[in-house]
Amino acid sequence: MAEIAGALRDRYAVLEIAIHHRTGRVEIGEPSVVIAVSARHRHDALAACKDAIDTLKERVPLWKKEVYEGGEEWIARGS
């Protein structure tokens, strides 16, 4: 995630970027990712945020276990 933030700093006119992914149990509807971007202009900050979440979902090897009434399964990135 640090590499993603560094690439975004090079691509957009932003001051700082922070990306954090929660670990542990996450209930349905609870947030699991926080992306914070500071920039002089809103357009750059919002574009960097969108790019950050899209890239994170493609490149970061995140796994999650979904539990259902009838069973459970592990979901890999790109799901």
Side-chain angles (χ1 to χ4, degrees):
M1 288 187 280
E3 289 177 16
I4 293 170
L8 293 170
R9 278 188 202 93
D10 294 340
R11 195 173 311 132
Y12 298 96
V14 298
L15 302 171
E16 288 295 332
I17 298 176
I19 303 171
H20 178 76
H21 196 285
R22 182 175 168 179
T23 59
R25 186 175 178 89
V26 179
E27 295 296 330
I28 295 172
E30 289 184 340
S32 58
V33 176
V34 171
I35 300 170
V37 178
S38 63
R40 288 186 173 87
H41 302 285
R42 173 179 37 201
H43 175 77
D44 292 312
L46 294 174
C49 278
K50 181 182 182 324
D51 200 346
I53 193 68
D54 291 345
T55 304
L56 178 125
K57 288 180 173 255
E58 288 175 13
R59 293 188 31 209
V60 177
L62 299 171
W63 290 79
K64 64 181 180 177
K65 183 178 186 181
E66 293 196 352
V67 179
Y68 312 100
E69 285 186 26
E72 59 190 37
E73 68 178 317
W74 283 97
I75 308 293
R77 66 179 164 177
S79 59

